[in-house]
Amino acid sequence: MIVDLAIYLGCAFLLAGAAFSLLAAIGVLRLPDLYTRMHAASKAGAVGGGLILLAVALVSFDGTVALRAIIAVAFLLLTTPVSAHLLARASHRGGYQPGVKTEIDDLKSKSEQTPSA
Amino acid sequence: MTAAELLPIATMIALVLLGLALLIGTMRVIIGPTLADRVLALDLLTVIAMGFVGAIAIRTGLTLYLDIAIALALLGFLATLAFVRYMLSRQSKEEERR
């Protein structure tokens, strides 16, 4: 009974994770500029990968495997925002402008004070 | 339908969805337009490949595949860091030239 429940839940997590990954890829392809694409890649992508690893943890029925999967999810959730932040920072310093529809740019004043940066 | 019958179907659907995601991410890597877009898409591709490995681990029952997923997560993070360092060093070189 509880085994069946874990497998059903694992299947649901697996399909949800795959759907989130597909949505992240579509967002990366379709959104207008780098900074909005970053929303799709870092949030939906991390949730997609994390849900699939949680599905592995649910389906495996093995403590060590589940622990490794949960450690991988924690690692993913820690590193994805860091890399997205670094990439946004580097491209903003490099003069990559946000799209036309972006109205608020909080870093703009800083980059105007030091125009070469 | 029993739970054991559901598992191969669910993993096959997930693998198809993830394969489509890999294709779409590759399109963004190809069309660019800047280096940062390509780095972002490559970062997403490693995460999707992680999900692919996880789905294969469930399908085959070989949980050793999970180690590959962990290694891919680390590799994707370090690759993005290296690319960002490269972009920053290229910017500072251009500033020195001015």
Side-chain angles (χ1 to χ4, degrees), chain A residues 33-36 39 88-113 117:
Chain A
D33 65 344
L34 176 72
Y35 304 106
T36 48
H39 286 282
R89 189 179 155 79
S91 55
H92 194 280
R93 278 187 60 184
Y96 189 99
Q97 291 299 318
V100 188
K101 286 181 182 170
T102 307
E103 291 182 349
I104 299 173
D105 184 358
D106 280 339
L107 287 175
K108 191 178 267 178
S109 56
K110 275 183 196 168
S111 56
E112 277 168 359
Q113 281 164 10

Side-chain angles (χ1 to χ4, degrees), chain A residues 40-115:
Chain A
S42 62
K43 294 186 191 98
V47 167
L51 278 179
I52 292 177
L53 288 176
L54 281 184
V56 177
L58 274 174
V59 171
S60 65
F61 304 110
D62 187 350
T64 56
V65 173
L67 190 66
R68 267 188 296 167
I70 290 168
I71 286 173
V73 173
F75 184 77
L76 194 66
L77 290 182
L78 277 178
T79 56
T80 312
V82 175
S83 59
H85 174 83
L86 271 176
L87 193 58
R89 189 179 155 79
S91 55
H92 194 280
R93 278 187 60 184
Y96 189 99
Q97 291 299 318
V100 188
K101 286 181 182 170
T102 307
E103 291 182 349
I104 299 173
D105 184 358
D106 280 339
L107 287 175
K108 191 178 267 178
S109 56
K110 275 183 196 168
S111 56
E112 277 168 359
Q113 281 164 10
T114 53

Side-chain angles (χ1 to χ4, degrees), chain B residues 8-94:
Chain B
I9 301 171
T11 48
M12 188 43 87
I13 296 172
L15 284 175
V16 169
L17 290 181
L18 288 167
L20 277 177
L22 279 173
L23 277 179
I24 295 172
T26 312
M27 281 168 70
R28 176 51 74 188
V29 175
I30 292 171
I31 63 179
T34 62
L35 177 63
D37 288 299
R38 294 195 170 96
V39 173
L40 183 73
L42 279 175
D43 195 27
L44 180 68
L45 281 189
T46 54
V47 175
I48 295 174
M50 246 179 78
F52 211 88
V53 171
I56 289 177
I58 293 178
R59 192 174 172 81
T60 59
L62 292 175
T63 48
L64 272 178
Y65 278 116
L66 208 56
D67 294 335
I68 305 174
I70 296 173
L72 263 181
L74 184 65
L75 186 74
F77 178 56
L78 290 181
T80 309
L81 282 194
F83 265 121
V84 170
R85 286 286 295 176
Y86 165 67
M87 285 164 65
L88 283 175
S89 70
R90 200 172 62 167
Q91 283 164 22
S92 58
K93 264 183 203 162
E94 279 174 6

